[in-house]
Amino acid sequence: MKVVKFGGSSLASGVQFNKVANIILSDSERKIVVVSAPGKRYSEDIKTTDLLIALAQAIIEDGEEKKALEAVLQRFADIVSDLTLDKTLLTNIDRELRKLMSQYKNDAPRLMDALMASGENQNAKLMAAYLSKRGKEATYVSPDEAGLLVTDDPGNARILPEAYEKLRKLKQMSGILVIPGFFGVSKQGHIVTFPRGGSDITGSIVAAGVEAEVYENFTDVDSVYSVNPQLVNSPKEMREITYREMRELAYSGFSVFHDEALQPVVTKKIPVCVKNTNHPEAEGTRIVAERSQNGCPVVGIASDKGFLSINITKYLMNKEVGFGRHLLEILEDECISFEHTPSGIDNISIILRDHQLRNGKEERILERIRTELKVEDVQVERDLAMVMVVGEGMCRTVGIASKATEALAEAGVNIKMINQGSSEVSMMFGVDAKHADLAVQSLYYKYFTPVNHI
């Protein structure tokens, strides 16, 4: 059995729906289908999820939802018309949206979650209806029916352990099952969305729950590339990559696959195959537990912006027992997670996502560091980017780090900090955000010949 997930661009229009249906019906093992909300049909278009966010904001801010609701309904109406589906589907969508708007109109976080999830939820119903029209047994299965039980934290759902046992029963159901991505249902009965990349997370959870042979993730690219194709012409394609390598690249800004989506399939060691809806015959990229190195110690280069560093100096810091624990406790008290902690004998840097220091948190944290840790100096450095060089073969290859520093020096990119974990799956370089793209390009050309393939 295969679990197959289709992204928003794959389901943006009736034409795309037809492509997806052809892919599903071409392989009888594709029994469980997870769908996203309709994405952009062209570059200036608006994603359905963004239309739903605008609808929720209109209700929250002034209670006037007519235009925003019409925009949402029109997106679904276009698909229904393109596929000549029963128009009662539109009536049902209108009714269900109005029900959610009424139910949660006085609870902004719940309203936002419920309406955002409607893009996937209604699209799943349209896909099930279309597959049925094509003569196949197809059933819409809601997250509640499927057993996707999650925590009750709006916008930040986490799957509950007991959900996997409930999901197992999907294996016994007949026909093709269509499940909406992006959200689950809490024990309190609320719709709760996953974080960024939520439909990928749903697909991965379902694949783990039914112990699928493979989890196929269809998007709009032929494979995962070694670098952002917007930065490099004809970048190297990755035929195979490990879970750990993909996790590092996804964390560092790769948009093809969200890093949190890997965890469920990693636990069960279920292979993931990233493929192109518009070019399904392409081989794609397989994400697996282990791969042959094939003489390629580095598999990818990625970067992400939006970081800052809290730089702390104290003489004899390395002799002070409990200094690091106390420092991290200060962050914990403000519910802040850290990304990296490069250090020396008398200094340490804590790298954070900059959005975490809002609403007075920065001032409180800096004051506590000064007074409780009695440091000599503490400064915040902003507008940083983290550039990652990733590959499991790096630990067995001499000269990887020297190539990186040489490439950055030749490009005139100043290295603010360097960090490498004990596993040596990745090297991190902190640079000014304005130089991030240049850093990625220089590293890519140092390590790769574009015509080669992994």
Side-chain angles (χ1 to χ4, degrees):
M1 174 189 289
K2 297 179 180 179
V3 171
V4 55
K5 177 261 176 181
F6 292 93
S9 61
S10 300
L11 296 161
S13 66
V15 171
Q16 291 300 107
F17 258 69
N18 187 56
K19 291 179 185 178
V20 167
N22 289 339
I23 291 169
I24 296 167
L25 300 179
S26 68
D27 187 344
S28 60
E29 290 298 306
R30 290 174 176 142
K31 278 204 61 179
I32 300 180
V33 180
V34 176
V35 303
S36 296
K40 290 186 177 183
R41 296 161 291 188
Y42 43 87
S43 59
E44 298 81 18
D45 200 12
I46 302 173
K47 296 179 180 179
T48 304
T49 301
D50 291 335
L51 293 175
L52 287 160
I53 291 171
L55 172 59
Q57 288 173 337
I59 296 168
I60 293 166
E61 292 169 7
D62 54 30
E64 178 52 57
E65 79 282 349
K66 185 177 179 181
K67 283 189 176 180
L69 178 59
E70 286 176 353
V72 172
L73 292 173
Q74 188 59 53
R75 282 305 306 274
F76 289 115
D78 290 344
I79 294 172
V80 169
S81 176
D82 288 346
L83 302 175
T84 61
L85 295 175
D86 189 334
K87 291 187 178 179
T88 58
L89 288 164
L90 284 177
T91 304
N92 293 337
I93 292 172
D94 188 5
R95 183 177 64 248
E96 290 174 26
L97 286 173
R98 291 181 186 278
K99 180 180 178 182
L100 293 173
M101 289 156 54
S102 175
Q103 182 178 354
Y104 293 115
K105 64 182 178 181
N106 297 318
D107 189 339
R110 297 290 184 195
L111 176 68
M112 185 64 74
D113 257 17
L115 289 181
M116 285 174 63
S118 296
E120 279 75 8
N121 199 39
Q122 302 303 334
N123 222 27
K125 294 175 183 178
L126 297 186
M127 177 53 71
Y130 183 55
L131 290 171
S132 297
K133 183 183 176 184
R134 294 275 297 261
K136 296 297 178 180
E137 181 187 359
T139 306
Y140 158 80
V141 181
S142 71
D144 190 22
E145 294 171 305
L148 274 160
L149 286 175
V150 298
T151 56
D152 198 38
D153 184 8
N156 193 36
R158 292 290 184 271
I159 196 70
L160 295 175
E162 57 263 42
Y164 290 103
E165 183 63 33
K166 294 178 180 295
L167 286 165
R168 195 167 297 137
K169 72 178 185 295
L170 294 174
K171 297 171 71 172
Q172 310 307 320
M173 297 177 67
S174 63
I176 298 169
L177 311 180
V178 186
I179 302 173
F182 190 36
F183 74 100
V185 178
S186 70
K187 289 184 177 179
Q188 292 79 6
H190 294 296
I191 293 169
V192 191
T193 62
F194 290 112
R196 187 167 55 108
S199 291
D200 288 340
I201 295 172
T202 300
S204 185
I205 289 169
V206 173
V210 301
E211 298 181 335
E213 170 195 345
V214 65
Y215 169 36
E216 295 182 319
N217 192 295
F218 278 83
T219 179
D220 55 4
V221 294
D222 279 354
S223 64
V224 180
Y225 297 102
S226 290
V227 71
N228 183 345
Q230 294 181 345
L231 299 180
V232 173
N233 291 326
S234 302
K236 182 178 180 181
E237 296 180 9
M238 291 187 275
R239 297 297 182 221
E240 200 167 58
I241 184 172
T242 67
Y243 297 132
R244 291 200 303 173
E245 289 167 338
M246 190 68 238
R247 156 80 167 112
E248 295 280 353
L249 290 169
Y251 159 79
S252 313
F254 266 42
S255 59
V256 173
F257 211 86
H258 191 254
D259 55 343
E260 288 187 39
L262 281 174
Q263 192 275 329
V265 291
V266 168
T267 302
K268 296 285 187 177
K269 293 189 176 180
I270 296 168
V272 179
C273 189
V274 178
K275 294 177 73 67
N276 190 346
T277 301
N278 302 311
H279 190 200
E281 63 276 13
E283 186 178 343
T285 299
R286 284 177 62 83
I287 309 173
V288 294
E290 296 179 2
R291 68 172 177 88
S292 171
Q293 296 301 319
N294 292 331
C296 299
V298 173
V299 298
I301 314 289
S303 70
D304 201 11
K305 300 176 183 178
F307 293 91
L308 59 76
S309 176
I310 301 177
N311 303 323
I312 301 165
T313 301
K314 185 176 184 180
Y315 190 64
L316 297 179
M317 181 190 295
N318 66 313
K319 301 289 186 182
E320 188 171 329
V321 175
F323 184 92
R325 173 192 54 78
H326 194 165
L327 173 59
L328 295 181
E329 279 183 347
I330 292 172
L331 297 180
E332 182 182 7
D333 289 345
E334 294 286 352
C335 297
I336 291 175
S337 62
F338 69 93
E339 306 293 326
H340 306 275
T341 55
S343 65
I345 57 172
D346 292 331
N347 52 71
I348 187 170
S349 296
I350 305 293
I351 300 170
L352 312 170
R353 300 277 182 176
D354 57 13
H355 66 80
Q356 294 192 93
L357 290 191
R358 296 170 185 166
N359 302 319
K361 288 187 177 184
E362 179 177 337
E363 293 76 12
R364 292 195 297 270
I365 286 170
L366 295 182
E367 179 60 25
R368 287 189 63 184
I369 289 173
R370 292 188 186 99
T371 58
E372 296 176 25
L373 296 178
K374 297 179 173 54
V375 300
E376 294 168 18
D377 188 35
V378 55
Q379 297 180 351
V380 176
E381 186 171 9
R382 305 182 191 280
D383 298 321
L384 293 177
M386 299 298 114
V387 180
M388 305 291 282
V389 178
V390 177
E392 289 198 0
M394 293 195 302
C395 63
R396 295 180 294 276
T397 306
V398 175
I400 291 294
S402 65
K403 273 191 175 184
T405 54
E406 183 180 291
L408 294 174
E410 290 172 354
V413 176
N414 183 38
I415 301 172
K416 299 280 188 176
M417 61 195 72
I418 302 174
N419 195 33
Q420 183 172 34
S422 59
S423 66
E424 296 187 58
V425 177
S426 67
M427 287 187 296
M428 181 278 289
F429 298 91
V431 303
D432 287 328
K434 64 184 178 182
H435 294 144
D437 291 349
L438 178 60
V440 170
Q441 291 167 338
S442 65
L443 289 165
Y444 176 81
Y445 287 119
K446 181 63 71 171
Y447 286 115
F448 295 109
T449 301
V451 296
N452 289 340
H453 295 280
I454 293 173

PDB file of all heavy atoms in Angstrom, residues 389-416:
ATOM      1  N   VAL A 389      26.066  23.406   4.857  1.00  0.00           N
ATOM      2  CA  VAL A 389      26.653  22.443   3.926  1.00  0.00           C
ATOM      3  C   VAL A 389      26.326  21.069   4.495  1.00  0.00           C
ATOM      4  O   VAL A 389      26.687  20.762   5.628  1.00  0.00           O
ATOM      5  CB  VAL A 389      28.179  22.633   3.807  1.00  0.00           C
ATOM      6  CG1 VAL A 389      28.785  21.580   2.875  1.00  0.00           C
ATOM      7  CG2 VAL A 389      28.505  24.037   3.328  1.00  0.00           C
ATOM      8  N   VAL A 390      25.621  20.242   3.717  1.00  0.00           N
ATOM      9  CA  VAL A 390      25.044  19.005   4.255  1.00  0.00           C
ATOM     10  C   VAL A 390      25.522  17.781   3.477  1.00  0.00           C
ATOM     11  O   VAL A 390      25.575  17.789   2.242  1.00  0.00           O
ATOM     12  CB  VAL A 390      23.499  19.068   4.214  1.00  0.00           C
ATOM     13  CG1 VAL A 390      22.880  17.755   4.700  1.00  0.00           C
ATOM     14  CG2 VAL A 390      22.984  20.242   5.042  1.00  0.00           C
ATOM     15  N   GLY A 391      25.825  16.724   4.222  1.00  0.00           N
ATOM     16  CA  GLY A 391      26.186  15.452   3.584  1.00  0.00           C
ATOM     17  C   GLY A 391      26.756  14.474   4.592  1.00  0.00           C
ATOM     18  O   GLY A 391      27.657  14.819   5.374  1.00  0.00           O
ATOM     19  N   GLU A 392      26.236  13.265   4.611  1.00  0.00           N
ATOM     20  CA  GLU A 392      26.714  12.272   5.584  1.00  0.00           C
ATOM     21  C   GLU A 392      28.129  11.799   5.280  1.00  0.00           C
ATOM     22  O   GLU A 392      28.796  11.235   6.144  1.00  0.00           O
ATOM     23  CB  GLU A 392      25.754  11.084   5.637  1.00  0.00           C
ATOM     24  CG  GLU A 392      24.429  11.416   6.282  1.00  0.00           C
ATOM     25  CD  GLU A 392      23.657  10.188   6.728  1.00  0.00           C
ATOM     26  OE1 GLU A 392      24.153   9.063   6.540  1.00  0.00           O
ATOM     27  OE2 GLU A 392      22.554  10.363   7.276  1.00  0.00           O
ATOM     28  N   GLY A 393      28.608  12.017   4.054  1.00  0.00           N
ATOM     29  CA  GLY A 393      29.954  11.583   3.705  1.00  0.00           C
ATOM     30  C   GLY A 393      31.043  12.539   4.150  1.00  0.00           C
ATOM     31  O   GLY A 393      32.232  12.237   4.012  1.00  0.00           O
ATOM     32  N   MET A 394      30.670  13.702   4.716  1.00  0.00           N
ATOM     33  CA  MET A 394      31.677  14.697   5.081  1.00  0.00           C
ATOM     34  C   MET A 394      32.620  14.192   6.159  1.00  0.00           C
ATOM     35  O   MET A 394      33.799  14.537   6.175  1.00  0.00           O
ATOM     36  CB  MET A 394      30.998  15.983   5.542  1.00  0.00           C
ATOM     37  CG  MET A 394      30.241  16.708   4.446  1.00  0.00           C
ATOM     38  SD  MET A 394      29.822  18.410   4.876  1.00  0.00           S
ATOM     39  CE  MET A 394      28.873  18.179   6.369  1.00  0.00           C
ATOM     40  N   CYS A 395      32.113  13.361   7.082  1.00  0.00           N
ATOM     41  CA  CYS A 395      32.937  12.923   8.207  1.00  0.00           C
ATOM     42  C   CYS A 395      34.087  12.020   7.766  1.00  0.00           C
ATOM     43  O   CYS A 395      35.050  11.825   8.506  1.00  0.00           O
ATOM     44  CB  CYS A 395      32.074  12.213   9.250  1.00  0.00           C
ATOM     45  SG  CYS A 395      31.293  10.696   8.665  1.00  0.00           S
ATOM     46  N   ARG A 396      34.001  11.470   6.571  1.00  0.00           N
ATOM     47  CA  ARG A 396      35.042  10.564   6.077  1.00  0.00           C
ATOM     48  C   ARG A 396      35.868  11.192   4.952  1.00  0.00           C
ATOM     49  O   ARG A 396      36.595  10.490   4.257  1.00  0.00           O
ATOM     50  CB  ARG A 396      34.391   9.260   5.577  1.00  0.00           C
ATOM     51  CG  ARG A 396      33.718   8.459   6.672  1.00  0.00           C
ATOM     52  CD  ARG A 396      33.091   7.185   6.129  1.00  0.00           C
ATOM     53  NE  ARG A 396      31.984   7.462   5.229  1.00  0.00           N
ATOM     54  CZ  ARG A 396      30.737   7.705   5.631  1.00  0.00           C
ATOM     55  NH1 ARG A 396      30.461   7.705   6.923  1.00  0.00           N
ATOM     56  NH2 ARG A 396      29.771   7.940   4.757  1.00  0.00           N
ATOM     57  N   THR A 397      35.717  12.494   4.764  1.00  0.00           N
ATOM     58  CA  THR A 397      36.389  13.159   3.644  1.00  0.00           C
ATOM     59  C   THR A 397      37.267  14.306   4.144  1.00  0.00           C
ATOM     60  O   THR A 397      36.786  15.199   4.858  1.00  0.00           O
ATOM     61  CB  THR A 397      35.353  13.710   2.640  1.00  0.00           C
ATOM     62  OG1 THR A 397      34.480  12.646   2.251  1.00  0.00           O
ATOM     63  CG2 THR A 397      36.038  14.264   1.408  1.00  0.00           C
ATOM     64  N   VAL A 398      38.540  14.274   3.776  1.00  0.00           N
ATOM     65  CA  VAL A 398      39.480  15.319   4.175  1.00  0.00           C
ATOM     66  C   VAL A 398      39.291  16.557   3.284  1.00  0.00           C
ATOM     67  O   VAL A 398      39.111  16.435   2.074  1.00  0.00           O
ATOM     68  CB  VAL A 398      40.931  14.805   4.051  1.00  0.00           C
ATOM     69  CG1 VAL A 398      41.928  15.925   4.347  1.00  0.00           C
ATOM     70  CG2 VAL A 398      41.160  13.628   4.980  1.00  0.00           C
ATOM     71  N   GLY A 399      39.313  17.737   3.893  1.00  0.00           N
ATOM     72  CA  GLY A 399      39.319  18.978   3.132  1.00  0.00           C
ATOM     73  C   GLY A 399      37.975  19.626   2.894  1.00  0.00           C
ATOM     74  O   GLY A 399      37.891  20.648   2.212  1.00  0.00           O
ATOM     75  N   ILE A 400      36.902  19.063   3.452  1.00  0.00           N
ATOM     76  CA  ILE A 400      35.561  19.628   3.236  1.00  0.00           C
ATOM     77  C   ILE A 400      35.474  21.045   3.804  1.00  0.00           C
ATOM     78  O   ILE A 400      34.993  21.979   3.151  1.00  0.00           O
ATOM     79  CB  ILE A 400      34.486  18.728   3.869  1.00  0.00           C
ATOM     80  CG1 ILE A 400      34.381  17.405   3.116  1.00  0.00           C
ATOM     81  CG2 ILE A 400      33.135  19.433   3.881  1.00  0.00           C
ATOM     82  CD1 ILE A 400      33.871  17.529   1.705  1.00  0.00           C
ATOM     83  N   ALA A 401      35.950  21.235   5.032  1.00  0.00           N
ATOM     84  CA  ALA A 401      35.846  22.552   5.670  1.00  0.00           C
ATOM     85  C   ALA A 401      36.719  23.578   4.964  1.00  0.00           C
ATOM     86  O   ALA A 401      36.317  24.735   4.793  1.00  0.00           O
ATOM     87  CB  ALA A 401      36.232  22.450   7.140  1.00  0.00           C
ATOM     88  N   SER A 402      37.911  23.164   4.543  1.00  0.00           N
ATOM     89  CA  SER A 402      38.802  24.117   3.877  1.00  0.00           C
ATOM     90  C   SER A 402      38.219  24.594   2.551  1.00  0.00           C
ATOM     91  O   SER A 402      38.376  25.752   2.166  1.00  0.00           O
ATOM     92  CB  SER A 402      40.183  23.489   3.650  1.00  0.00           C
ATOM     93  OG  SER A 402      40.114  22.397   2.754  1.00  0.00           O
ATOM     94  N   LYS A 403      37.520  23.706   1.847  1.00  0.00           N
ATOM     95  CA  LYS A 403      36.853  24.108   0.603  1.00  0.00           C
ATOM     96  C   LYS A 403      35.802  25.177   0.878  1.00  0.00           C
ATOM     97  O   LYS A 403      35.653  26.135   0.110  1.00  0.00           O
ATOM     98  CB  LYS A 403      36.186  22.896  -0.059  1.00  0.00           C
ATOM     99  CG  LYS A 403      37.081  22.097  -0.975  1.00  0.00           C
ATOM    100  CD  LYS A 403      36.237  21.099  -1.788  1.00  0.00           C
ATOM    101  CE  LYS A 403      37.096  20.384  -2.806  1.00  0.00           C
ATOM    102  NZ  LYS A 403      36.306  19.483  -3.672  1.00  0.00           N
ATOM    103  N   ALA A 404      35.058  24.985   1.971  1.00  0.00           N
ATOM    104  CA  ALA A 404      33.987  25.936   2.300  1.00  0.00           C
ATOM    105  C   ALA A 404      34.557  27.314   2.622  1.00  0.00           C
ATOM    106  O   ALA A 404      34.096  28.336   2.088  1.00  0.00           O
ATOM    107  CB  ALA A 404      33.166  25.411   3.474  1.00  0.00           C
ATOM    108  N   THR A 405      35.568  27.361   3.484  1.00  0.00           N
ATOM    109  CA  THR A 405      36.131  28.660   3.865  1.00  0.00           C
ATOM    110  C   THR A 405      36.813  29.329   2.669  1.00  0.00           C
ATOM    111  O   THR A 405      36.768  30.551   2.517  1.00  0.00           O
ATOM    112  CB  THR A 405      37.130  28.489   5.022  1.00  0.00           C
ATOM    113  OG1 THR A 405      38.129  27.513   4.661  1.00  0.00           O
ATOM    114  CG2 THR A 405      36.418  28.020   6.286  1.00  0.00           C
ATOM    115  N   GLU A 406      37.415  28.517   1.815  1.00  0.00           N
ATOM    116  CA  GLU A 406      38.043  29.052   0.601  1.00  0.00           C
ATOM    117  C   GLU A 406      37.001  29.670  -0.323  1.00  0.00           C
ATOM    118  O   GLU A 406      37.192  30.775  -0.860  1.00  0.00           O
ATOM    119  CB  GLU A 406      38.781  27.922  -0.111  1.00  0.00           C
ATOM    120  CG  GLU A 406      39.536  28.331  -1.354  1.00  0.00           C
ATOM    121  CD  GLU A 406      40.234  27.146  -2.004  1.00  0.00           C
ATOM    122  OE1 GLU A 406      41.193  26.631  -1.400  1.00  0.00           O
ATOM    123  OE2 GLU A 406      39.799  26.736  -3.093  1.00  0.00           O
ATOM    124  N   ALA A 407      35.876  28.977  -0.504  1.00  0.00           N
ATOM    125  CA  ALA A 407      34.812  29.482  -1.375  1.00  0.00           C
ATOM    126  C   ALA A 407      34.260  30.797  -0.854  1.00  0.00           C
ATOM    127  O   ALA A 407      34.049  31.746  -1.620  1.00  0.00           O
ATOM    128  CB  ALA A 407      33.689  28.441  -1.480  1.00  0.00           C
ATOM    129  N   LEU A 408      34.013  30.865   0.454  1.00  0.00           N
ATOM    130  CA  LEU A 408      33.446  32.083   1.037  1.00  0.00           C
ATOM    131  C   LEU A 408      34.442  33.232   0.978  1.00  0.00           C
ATOM    132  O   LEU A 408      34.061  34.395   0.723  1.00  0.00           O
ATOM    133  CB  LEU A 408      33.005  31.816   2.473  1.00  0.00           C
ATOM    134  CG  LEU A 408      31.844  30.821   2.608  1.00  0.00           C
ATOM    135  CD1 LEU A 408      31.580  30.497   4.074  1.00  0.00           C
ATOM    136  CD2 LEU A 408      30.576  31.344   1.958  1.00  0.00           C
ATOM    137  N   ALA A 409      35.717  32.931   1.182  1.00  0.00           N
ATOM    138  CA  ALA A 409      36.741  33.981   1.099  1.00  0.00           C
ATOM    139  C   ALA A 409      36.828  34.531  -0.323  1.00  0.00           C
ATOM    140  O   ALA A 409      36.931  35.749  -0.532  1.00  0.00           O
ATOM    141  CB  ALA A 409      38.090  33.417   1.541  1.00  0.00           C
ATOM    142  N   GLU A 410      36.807  33.636  -1.307  1.00  0.00           N
ATOM    143  CA  GLU A 410      36.876  34.075  -2.705  1.00  0.00           C
ATOM    144  C   GLU A 410      35.689  34.945  -3.088  1.00  0.00           C
ATOM    145  O   GLU A 410      35.808  35.843  -3.930  1.00  0.00           O
ATOM    146  CB  GLU A 410      36.951  32.846  -3.627  1.00  0.00           C
ATOM    147  CG  GLU A 410      38.273  32.094  -3.532  1.00  0.00           C
ATOM    148  CD  GLU A 410      38.247  30.784  -4.302  1.00  0.00           C
ATOM    149  OE1 GLU A 410      37.158  30.406  -4.819  1.00  0.00           O
ATOM    150  OE2 GLU A 410      39.295  30.123  -4.389  1.00  0.00           O
ATOM    151  N   ALA A 411      34.536  34.684  -2.452  1.00  0.00           N
ATOM    152  CA  ALA A 411      33.327  35.460  -2.753  1.00  0.00           C
ATOM    153  C   ALA A 411      33.254  36.743  -1.933  1.00  0.00           C
ATOM    154  O   ALA A 411      32.332  37.547  -2.125  1.00  0.00           O
ATOM    155  CB  ALA A 411      32.086  34.608  -2.498  1.00  0.00           C
ATOM    156  N   GLY A 412      34.181  36.920  -1.006  1.00  0.00           N
ATOM    157  CA  GLY A 412      34.171  38.112  -0.165  1.00  0.00           C
ATOM    158  C   GLY A 412      33.107  38.086   0.914  1.00  0.00           C
ATOM    159  O   GLY A 412      32.653  39.137   1.380  1.00  0.00           O
ATOM    160  N   VAL A 413      32.725  36.890   1.335  1.00  0.00           N
ATOM    161  CA  VAL A 413      31.699  36.732   2.379  1.00  0.00           C
ATOM    162  C   VAL A 413      32.388  36.512   3.722  1.00  0.00           C
ATOM    163  O   VAL A 413      33.160  35.552   3.884  1.00  0.00           O
ATOM    164  CB  VAL A 413      30.764  35.549   2.068  1.00  0.00           C
ATOM    165  CG1 VAL A 413      29.764  35.344   3.214  1.00  0.00           C
ATOM    166  CG2 VAL A 413      30.032  35.780   0.755  1.00  0.00           C
ATOM    167  N   ASN A 414      32.117  37.392   4.662  1.00  0.00           N
ATOM    168  CA  ASN A 414      32.711  37.280   5.994  1.00  0.00           C
ATOM    169  C   ASN A 414      31.957  36.233   6.821  1.00  0.00           C
ATOM    170  O   ASN A 414      30.725  36.247   6.893  1.00  0.00           O
ATOM    171  CB  ASN A 414      32.656  38.626   6.710  1.00  0.00           C
ATOM    172  CG  ASN A 414      33.331  38.575   8.068  1.00  0.00           C
ATOM    173  OD1 ASN A 414      34.361  37.922   8.237  1.00  0.00           O
ATOM    174  ND2 ASN A 414      32.743  39.249   9.043  1.00  0.00           N
ATOM    175  N   ILE A 415      32.699  35.307   7.416  1.00  0.00           N
ATOM    176  CA  ILE A 415      32.099  34.271   8.269  1.00  0.00           C
ATOM    177  C   ILE A 415      31.988  34.800   9.689  1.00  0.00           C
ATOM    178  O   ILE A 415      32.996  35.122  10.323  1.00  0.00           O
ATOM    179  CB  ILE A 415      32.942  32.982   8.251  1.00  0.00           C
ATOM    180  CG1 ILE A 415      33.065  32.439   6.825  1.00  0.00           C
ATOM    181  CG2 ILE A 415      32.324  31.929   9.170  1.00  0.00           C
ATOM    182  CD1 ILE A 415      34.034  31.271   6.703  1.00  0.00           C
ATOM    183  N   LYS A 416      30.762  34.904  10.190  1.00  0.00           N
ATOM    184  CA  LYS A 416      30.536  35.392  11.550  1.00  0.00           C
ATOM    185  C   LYS A 416      30.758  34.298  12.585  1.00  0.00           C
ATOM    186  O   LYS A 416      31.203  34.553  13.694  1.00  0.00           O
ATOM    187  CB  LYS A 416      29.094  35.913  11.676  1.00  0.00           C
ATOM    188  CG  LYS A 416      28.754  37.069  10.753  1.00  0.00           C
ATOM    189  CD  LYS A 416      29.266  38.363  11.317  1.00  0.00           C
ATOM    190  CE  LYS A 416      28.765  39.551  10.502  1.00  0.00           C
ATOM    191  NZ  LYS A 416      29.174  40.820  11.103  1.00  0.00           N
TER     192      LYS A 416
END
